C-alpha cells in the first residue's frame, strides 16, 4: 500500500525551523536559502491543511499541531540516525558516545578511565565536552552526564552524586594569610564560577552562611566560566575557591590544595547520568552505568575510611 507522506525535505525543513525558531538559522544548518526553507514549510502546511509555525517579527512559534509534529519528527529522525549509525559502525558495536561537562570529565572521569579499561577492555568511549551538544536533539549521543536537578523533558535520568562545596586554596597561601585569629577572607582573593556571563553561582554566599562568617566582601575577586579554571587558579596560589570536593580529591590528597575550615555545604544541584528512553537497553550503556555506580561507591568508601568532613552549620 502506497504511503501518503509529505516529502522528506519538507519535513526536515520544518523540523529544523521549528527546533531553532528561525528560517534563517534553519537555512544555515540545511545549507539552503531561507526562501527555500520557508517555501517547503508553506507547502507542508498546505498539504496538511494546518498551520505549523506562527510567523512573528523576530522568531517563529510552534502551533499546537506544530508541537505534535515536531515531537514525532524528533523521535523519528533520531531513530533513523541511530539505525544508520549502527549499520555504519557495526564493527564498533561496543563504542559508547558520551557528552559530559568539562570539569567533571577532566577531574572525575579521566582519572578513572584506566580502571574502566582494565575491567571492561571491550568497551570503547567517544567523549565530548561541548555544552551545546544536546542529547535530546541528536542521535549521535548514547548518553550524557548532566549537572542539574534531574529534570530533562523526554529523557531518563539516574542520580550519580550531589555536589559538596568546600573552600580550598594553596597551602602556601593559607600559611601566609593565617594568623592567631585564623584566616581573614577579606585579605584574600575570592575565586568565583559564573553561572552565565552576567551572574555568578551563589556558592560563596552559601558557604559563608554555613560557616557563620559575616562581613566578607564577595563582590570582588576573579571570575571563571569553568570550575576547572577556578580550581587551577586556587592551586596556583591566586586565591580561595569554593569547589565541589569530588573535583579536588587528588589535589587535597597530594597537598596541592588545603581546605579552609572544616565546613562543607551540600550543593543545590547534582550530577546525573541522562539517557533517551529508547537507549536504556544498550548493553554497553548498561555496563558504563554500572561501572559509574561502582566508582561512586568506591569513592564514598574512601571518604569514610580517610575521615569524612562533617557538615558545617546550615
Amino acid at each position: 500500500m502506497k504511503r501518503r507522506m509529505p516529502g522528506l525535505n519538507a519535513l526536515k525543513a520544518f523540523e529544523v525551523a521549528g527546533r531553532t525558531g528561525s528560517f534563517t538559522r534553519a537555512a544555515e544548518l540545511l545549507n539552503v536559502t531561507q526562501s527555500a526553507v520557508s517555501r517547503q514549510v508553506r507547502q507542508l502546511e498546505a498539504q496538511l491543511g494546518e498551520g505549523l509555525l506562527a510567523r512573528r517579527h523576530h522568531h517563529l512559534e510552534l502551533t499546537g499541531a506544530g508541537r505534535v509534529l515536531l515531537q514525532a519528527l524528533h523521535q523519528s529522525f533520531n531513530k533513523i540516525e541511530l539505525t544508520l549509525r549502527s549499520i555504519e559502525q557495526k564493527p564498533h558495536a561496543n563504542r559508547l558516545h558520551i557528552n559530559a561537562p568539562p570539569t567533571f570529565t577532566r577531574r572525575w572521569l579521566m582519572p578513572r578511565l584506566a580502571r574502566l579499561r582494565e575491567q571492561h577492555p571491550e568497551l570503547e568511549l567517544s567523549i565530548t565536552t561541548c555544552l551545546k551538544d544536546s542529547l535530546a536533539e541528536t542521535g549521535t549521543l548514547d548518553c550524557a552526564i548532566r549537572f542539574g536537578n534531574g529534570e530533562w523533558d523526554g529523557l531518563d535520568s539516574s542520580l550519580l552524586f550531589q555536589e559538596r562545596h568546600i573552600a580550598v586554596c594553596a597551602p602556601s597561601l593559607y600559611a601566609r594569610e593565617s594568623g592567631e585569629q585564623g584566616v581573614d577572607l577579606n585579605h584574600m582573593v575570592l575565586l568565583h564560577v559564573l553561572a552565565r556571563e552576567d551572574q555568578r553561582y551563589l556558592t560563596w554566599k552559601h558557604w559563608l552562611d554555613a560557616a557563620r562568617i559575616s562581613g566578607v566582601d564577595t563582590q570582588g575577586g576573579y571570575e571563571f566560566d569553568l570550575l576547572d579554571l577556578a580550581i587551577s587558579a586556587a592551586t596556583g596560589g591566586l586565591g580561595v575557591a569554593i569547589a565541589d570536593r569530588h573535583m579536588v580529591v587528588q589535589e587535597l590528597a597530594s597537598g596541592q590544595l588545603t581546605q579552609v575550615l572544616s565546613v562543607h555545604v551540600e550543593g543545590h544541584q547534582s550530577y546525573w547520568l541522562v539517557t533517551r528512553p529508547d537507549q536504556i537497553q544498550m548493553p554497553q550503556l548498561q555496563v558504563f552505568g554500572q561501572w559509574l555506580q561502582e566508582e561512586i561507591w568506591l569513592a564514598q568508601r574512601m571518604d569514610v575510611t580517610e575521615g569524612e568532613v562533617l557538615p558545617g552549620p546550615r
Side-chain angles (χ1 to χ4, degrees):
M1 185 171 123
K2 185 176 180 182
R3 294 181 183 271
R4 184 177 175 272
M5 288 279 293
L8 183 59
N9 287 340
L11 292 173
K12 188 61 180 175
F14 163 72
E15 190 268 339
V16 179
R19 173 160 49 87
T20 61
S22 167
F23 284 137
T24 300
R25 180 60 180 150
E28 293 173 354
L29 293 174
L30 294 171
N31 198 29
V32 297
T33 64
Q34 179 181 342
S35 60
V37 175
S38 178
R39 182 175 64 255
Q40 288 173 334
V41 173
R42 284 199 306 271
Q43 290 173 350
L44 178 60
E45 290 174 322
Q47 184 174 352
L48 296 176
E50 188 78 43
L52 301 173
L53 292 172
R55 282 74 167 169
R56 305 303 183 198
H57 183 58
H58 292 295
H59 66 283
L60 302 172
E61 289 184 3
L62 290 163
T63 66
R67 283 192 292 273
V68 172
L69 180 58
L70 183 62
Q71 183 177 6
L73 290 175
H74 268 325
Q75 296 172 351
S76 299
F77 286 142
N78 278 340
K79 288 181 179 179
I80 292 171
E81 190 172 1
L82 286 168
T83 301
L84 291 173
R85 198 181 83 194
S86 67
I87 294 172
E88 294 171 349
Q89 299 182 350
K90 192 172 182 180
H92 302 284
N94 290 321
R95 180 167 296 280
L96 195 66
H97 293 76
I98 305 166
N99 178 253
T103 300
F104 176 93
T105 301
R106 181 176 181 270
R107 295 186 170 273
W108 194 92
L109 184 59
M110 293 292 289
R112 292 170 166 82
L113 289 184
R115 282 203 293 269
L116 175 63
R117 184 67 177 175
E118 182 178 348
Q119 295 173 32
H120 302 284
E122 78 286 354
L123 185 62
E124 298 177 334
L125 300 184
S126 292
I127 302 172
T128 60
T129 59
C130 175
L131 297 178
K132 294 181 180 179
D133 201 351
S134 173
L135 180 67
E137 295 179 359
T138 176
T140 60
L141 286 176
D142 297 314
C143 64
I145 307 296
R146 291 287 179 258
F147 178 68
N149 58 10
E151 298 293 330
W152 288 275
D153 290 341
L155 299 172
D156 295 333
S157 57
S158 175
L159 177 64
L160 297 177
F161 54 80
Q162 189 174 8
E163 276 197 312
R164 300 171 59 205
H165 294 141
I166 61 175
V168 293
C169 70
S172 58
L173 178 62
Y174 185 85
R176 188 167 67 247
E177 296 295 337
S178 61
E180 294 181 1
Q181 303 300 319
V183 173
D184 184 352
L185 292 172
N186 278 311
H187 291 163
M188 303 174 77
V189 176
L190 303 188
L191 307 176
H192 305 271
V193 181
L194 293 170
R196 56 175 186 255
E197 290 185 0
D198 60 344
Q199 182 179 335
R200 300 168 174 176
Y201 284 109
L202 298 177
T203 47
W204 263 111
K205 179 183 183 306
H206 296 152
W207 185 88
L208 289 168
D209 289 345
R212 295 178 180 173
I213 297 174
S214 59
V216 176
D217 181 11
T218 61
Q219 298 303 308
Y222 280 63
E223 299 175 336
F224 303 90
D225 66 344
L226 291 177
L227 174 60
D228 186 44
L229 297 176
I231 294 171
S232 295
T235 305
L238 179 61
V240 187
I242 301 297
D244 177 9
R245 190 177 186 280
H246 300 94
M247 302 300 143
V248 292
V249 169
Q250 288 187 322
E251 287 80 3
L252 291 171
S254 66
Q256 292 177 281
L257 288 174
T258 189
Q259 184 171 345
V260 179
L261 301 182
S262 296
V263 175
H264 87 243
V265 180
E266 297 295 339
H268 294 289
Q269 295 180 310
S270 310
Y271 287 96
W272 302 77
L273 176 63
V274 183
T275 60
R276 287 188 298 275
D278 59 350
Q279 294 294 93
I280 194 63
Q281 298 302 321
M282 289 179 60
Q284 63 268 45
L285 182 54
Q286 292 180 340
V287 167
F288 182 67
Q290 179 63 32
W291 174 80
L292 284 175
Q293 294 298 337
E294 291 170 357
E295 285 293 324
I296 292 165
W297 179 86
L298 180 61
Q300 291 171 344
R301 291 282 296 176
M302 291 177 65
D303 267 353
V304 172
T305 301
E306 295 173 5
E308 185 177 77
V309 178
L310 297 176
R314 299 298 296 272

